Amino acid sequence: MAVLIGACGAPLGPIPGGALDGDLTPWPDDWLHAEECENVLLQTNPIEPYSVTIWGLGIDQAFYVGASKRSHQWAQYMEEDPRVTLEVDGKLYRALAERVIDPATTQLVADRFVTKYDMDPDNLDSDGALYRLVQAP
């Protein structure tokens, strides 16, 4: 039953979904409007859309999401094909994803996640990854 529900559209809580539905919105100049959004939706794998509900935050013109494990299906899809669709507060944005590997950026984004989500910083020491989403051309 969960597979049928998830395959029809947006994710439902922890159950992955398919294609996100709605009109695309121009990429914002900043993400201040997303500060109060706890969860966002992320669609990966454009050929056979796979979407998830995750945490995220904006810094300047980039939006960041984190995977607790790079082995999660959505993270693998994103590393194979960087084209994604992000839904923040009901608005859809086309983006390209890239894994953050720069130590200074990683620390900045990790600190922001710890602050926004009241996380234990030790939870970030894992086989996870942070991803930067930028406006798709």
Side-chain angles (χ1 to χ4, degrees):
M1 178 76 160
V3 172
L4 292 176
I5 291 171
C8 295
L12 181 62
I15 302 169
L20 299 178
D21 189 32
D23 295 325
L24 291 174
T25 303
W27 196 262
D29 291 330
D30 63 54
W31 289 97
L32 293 176
H33 66 282
E35 286 299 310
E36 299 302 316
C37 295
E38 182 170 341
N39 296 316
V40 299
L41 304 180
L42 181 70
Q43 175 190 305
T44 62
N45 196 30
I47 304 300
E48 292 184 38
Y50 184 91
S51 58
V52 293
T53 303
I54 57 173
W55 288 349
L57 54 86
I59 301 175
D60 299 325
Q61 286 195 307
F63 197 86
Y64 294 86
V65 296
S68 58
K69 295 181 182 177
R70 285 181 67 199
S71 62
H72 286 311
Q73 187 64 60
W74 65 269
Q76 289 180 1
Y77 282 144
M78 212 163 42
E79 291 196 20
E80 293 168 8
D81 185 337
R83 297 173 297 160
V84 299
T85 301
L86 173 68
E87 182 181 304
V88 177
D89 202 24
K91 297 179 181 174
L92 295 180
Y93 305 93
R94 288 264 189 252
L96 295 176
E98 64 181 354
R99 190 163 60 90
V100 177
I101 55 175
D102 172 62
T105 304
T106 298
Q107 189 62 54
L108 171 69
V109 175
D111 289 346
R112 297 274 180 100
F113 267 95
V114 166
T115 300
K116 181 175 180 177
Y117 293 103
D118 195 26
M119 296 172 57
D120 179 347
D122 292 338
N123 290 342
L124 298 175
D125 295 332
S126 69
D127 61 344
L130 294 170
Y131 297 90
R132 176 186 303 109
L133 308 182
V134 297
Q135 180 179 9

